[in-house]
Amino acid sequence: MDYVYGPGKNHLFVPGPVNIPEQVLRAMNRNNEDYRSPAVPALTKTLLEDVKKIFKTTSGTPFLFPTTGTGAWESALTNTLSPGDRIVSFLIGQFSLLWIDQQQRLNFKVDVIESDWGEGAKLDVLASKLAADTEHTIKAVCIVHNETATGVTNDLSLVRRILDEYRHPALFLVDGVSSICALDFRMDDWGVDVALTGSQKALSLPTGMGIVCASPRALEASKTAKSLRVFFDWKDYLKFYNLGTYWPYTPSIQLLYGLRAALDLIFEEGLENVIARHRRLGQATRLAVEAWGLKNCTQKEEWFSDTVTAVLVPPYIDSSEIVRRAWKRYNLSLGLGLNKVAGKVFRIGHLGNLNELQLLGCLAGVEMILKDVGYPVKLGSGVAAASAYLQNNIPLIPSRI
Ligand SMILES: *Cc1c(COP(=O)(O)O)cnc(C)c1O
Ligand SMILES: *[C@@H]1O[C@H](CO)[C@@H](O)[C@H](O)[C@H]1NC(C)=O
Ligand SMILES: *[C@@H]1O[C@H](CO)[C@@H](O)[C@H](O)[C@H]1NC(C)=O
Ligand SMILES: CC(=O)N[C@H]1CO[C@H](CO)[C@@H](O)[C@@H]1O
């Protein structure tokens, strides 16, 4: 008999949007409110203060835009740069490709530094470009911290070191959409000028809020940046910040309450514990991939991402078929391979509101699917490798010790 309803939950393992915690769902289940009442600005004030903690900044100024990561990119670029400005940007996968496309369409002159997909940013090429740029024509360096398409994490402290080594004043703009709140991210320590993220990734909220954080240097640059901007103009926000009313236009009330609940959960768990949990999930997944005899798409250990693992399949298997079957047979959602790696990789997202035993369910599902599509996997092999690691590494729940 055909059925559409099955008990239990869908197993959501795409690298965004991610699972929303029950507490956040409940916090958002509310009526609209007058955002000019005193309550909403009071809530906003706590959000702006607390959001700085997830960027690890004390000097940054955050903006909560009703948008997605793509809008946050646009806000970062148009507030700090002028048309024709030369910028350096790293192409390492689909998200950096899309950001570069936006940079070009906004009329910046983009020096693209390309890597093979699965490799990290070529920071040695950045060094040589900065060394040659004695006139300081490069106005910004743009990088995706953790490339969600390939599961590669770039070392941002090294980018800062290179900028400092050449005493180069270029602004440092970072897409932290799939890293902030999941990987170690330190806006102030790494001298990041604009960092941004979106609500539906590690923050585990619905899509619809882009969070942009500007350093004092970036705010200064915004005073002379000539790029056309209206909706994303920081100036309008700053005006309302000064008035204490915070919003130049209508915010999503439900998302604000959701963000409050999400931040409370993160602080309750402890940001460092959140990061450690992602490290465990990432490592367990990579060990499973190895046990299956498959390859991590990410080429080197130093680039391994703890939020998403892209798995290379043998050429006789279409990775899209794995994703289709996962959905059709097991109610499991995996990520497709994007663009250059379409059909070649599938992705396991392990970020956000997720725990170790949930991950083991996903890994067991992947094993069955691999078998379904004709890959000679030993059932249980990945789960065994992952659980052997997890069994040694999951700490006691602190409140239950
Ligand atoms: C998802 C993602 C984006 C795009 O964000 P949208 O919310 O879909 O606009 C940008 N960068 C990275 C690294 C991402 O993972
Ligand atoms: C799949 O998961 C969804 C979302 O949790 C659930 O509503 C649905 O009933 C599940 N479907 C089946 C067929 O298991
Ligand atoms: C994949 O990652 C695991 C875990 O870090 C590592 O042991 C293994 O060597 C990697 N495999 C490849 C082919 O790089
Ligand atoms: C898996 C992981 O966390 N990789 C890197 C993330 O980025 C930081 C800093 O940029 C590196 O130190 C990690 O090795």
Side-chain angles (χ1 to χ4, degrees), residues 167-385:
R167 295 170 195 271
H168 201 291
L171 292 168
F172 183 16
L173 311 187
V174 176
D175 168 337
V177 178
S178 66
S179 70
I180 290 168
C181 246
L183 300 183
D184 188 20
F185 186 86
R186 306 179 204 183
M187 179 160 178
D188 285 359
D189 285 358
W190 297 338
V192 173
D193 289 300
V194 187
L196 58 95
T197 187
S199 51
Q200 81 276 24
K201 302 282 169 84
L203 272 167
S204 305
L205 286 165
T207 312
M209 187 188 285
I211 307 180
V212 179
C213 199
S215 73
R217 275 187 77 214
L219 284 186
E220 202 49 42
S222 74
K223 292 181 184 156
T224 51
K226 293 194 178 56
S227 291
L228 195 60
R229 56 195 186 269
V230 179
F231 186 81
F232 290 120
D233 202 334
W234 297 345
K235 192 160 66 318
D236 297 333
Y237 275 77
L238 292 171
K239 190 171 111 195
F240 284 88
Y241 285 7
N242 286 331
L243 293 173
T245 51
Y246 293 104
W247 296 102
Y249 39 69
T250 321
S252 159
I253 298 295
Q254 289 75 15
L255 267 179
L256 295 184
Y257 283 97
L259 177 60
R260 182 67 268 160
L263 291 171
D264 287 345
L265 286 176
I266 287 163
F267 298 145
E268 209 171 291
E269 185 180 353
L271 192 50
E272 300 315 315
N273 293 330
V274 172
I275 293 166
R277 172 167 53 82
H278 282 88
R279 207 171 299 135
R280 286 196 295 278
L281 294 170
Q283 183 61 12
T285 308
R286 291 188 289 272
L287 289 168
V289 172
E290 196 186 12
W292 296 330
L294 293 172
K295 287 204 161 60
N296 318 305
C297 174
T298 313
Q299 299 296 314
K300 272 196 205 154
E301 190 110 21
E302 61 188 278
W303 296 320
F304 281 154
S305 159
D306 289 332
T307 54
V308 56
T309 299
V311 186
L312 273 172
V313 298
Y316 62 89
I317 291 171
D318 174 5
S319 67
S320 314
E321 183 54 26
I322 291 178
V323 176
R324 268 194 296 274
R325 278 199 87 80
W327 166 252
K328 285 211 292 211
R329 190 161 189 205
Y330 304 100
N331 213 359
L332 167 64
S333 298
L334 299 170
L336 284 163
L338 301 175
N339 199 329
K340 280 197 196 175
V341 288
K344 297 183 185 154
V345 312
F346 68 93
R347 293 173 301 150
I348 302 174
H350 31 81
L351 76 163
N353 178 44
L354 191 69
N355 63 38
E356 290 85 350
L357 299 195
Q358 280 175 285
L359 178 72
L360 291 175
C362 166
L363 297 177
V366 171
E367 292 179 355
M368 292 191 278
I369 299 154
L370 287 170
K371 197 141 194 167
D372 287 349
V373 298
Y375 178 76
V377 68
K378 182 163 173 275
L379 289 179
S381 57
V383 171

Side-chain angles (χ1 to χ4, degrees), residues 34-294:
D34 172 13
Y35 71 102
R36 295 297 181 209
S37 75
V40 174
L43 170 64
T44 306
K45 189 163 186 274
T46 71
L47 293 176
L48 291 174
E49 264 321 302
D50 284 346
V51 136
K52 288 199 223 171
K53 296 180 191 157
I54 62 170
F55 285 84
K56 296 225 176 96
T57 181
T58 52
S59 58
T61 302
F63 303 97
L64 312 175
F65 287 101
T67 185
T68 72
T70 306
W73 281 342
E74 189 161 333
S75 173
L77 297 168
T78 57
N79 278 281
T80 53
L81 298 165
S82 302
D85 274 357
R86 181 181 174 206
I87 63 183
V88 172
S89 214
F90 297 95
L91 172 49
I92 63 166
Q94 180 67 4
F95 288 102
S96 38
L97 176 75
L98 290 171
W99 197 16
I100 288 168
D101 174 55
Q102 185 187 76
Q103 290 154 10
Q104 288 166 336
R105 284 154 69 182
L106 287 168
N107 292 321
F108 305 121
K109 278 203 281 253
V110 191
D111 278 15
V112 177
I113 304 179
E114 187 167 3
S115 301
D116 285 338
W117 290 29
E119 304 217 332
K122 290 186 178 151
L123 299 182
D124 49 332
V125 179
L126 172 67
S128 58
K129 279 189 191 285
L130 294 181
D133 185 34
T134 49
E135 307 277 296
H136 296 165
T137 61
I138 298 170
K139 299 301 176 201
V141 174
C142 301
I143 190 166
V144 173
H145 185 198
N146 191 65
E147 173 54 78
T148 324
T150 55
V152 166
T153 305
N154 289 304
D155 186 345
L156 299 184
S157 60
L158 198 53
V159 177
R160 170 44 61 198
R161 232 178 299 146
I162 294 169
L163 281 161
D164 289 349
E165 196 177 312
Y166 295 98
R167 295 170 195 271
H168 201 291
L171 292 168
F172 183 16
L173 311 187
V174 176
D175 168 337
V177 178
S178 66
S179 70
I180 290 168
C181 246
L183 300 183
D184 188 20
F185 186 86
R186 306 179 204 183
M187 179 160 178
D188 285 359
D189 285 358
W190 297 338
V192 173
D193 289 300
V194 187
L196 58 95
T197 187
S199 51
Q200 81 276 24
K201 302 282 169 84
L203 272 167
S204 305
L205 286 165
T207 312
M209 187 188 285
I211 307 180
V212 179
C213 199
S215 73
R217 275 187 77 214
L219 284 186
E220 202 49 42
S222 74
K223 292 181 184 156
T224 51
K226 293 194 178 56
S227 291
L228 195 60
R229 56 195 186 269
V230 179
F231 186 81
F232 290 120
D233 202 334
W234 297 345
K235 192 160 66 318
D236 297 333
Y237 275 77
L238 292 171
K239 190 171 111 195
F240 284 88
Y241 285 7
N242 286 331
L243 293 173
T245 51
Y246 293 104
W247 296 102
Y249 39 69
T250 321
S252 159
I253 298 295
Q254 289 75 15
L255 267 179
L256 295 184
Y257 283 97
L259 177 60
R260 182 67 268 160
L263 291 171
D264 287 345
L265 286 176
I266 287 163
F267 298 145
E268 209 171 291
E269 185 180 353
L271 192 50
E272 300 315 315
N273 293 330
V274 172
I275 293 166
R277 172 167 53 82
H278 282 88
R279 207 171 299 135
R280 286 196 295 278
L281 294 170
Q283 183 61 12
T285 308
R286 291 188 289 272
L287 289 168
V289 172
E290 196 186 12
W292 296 330
L294 293 172

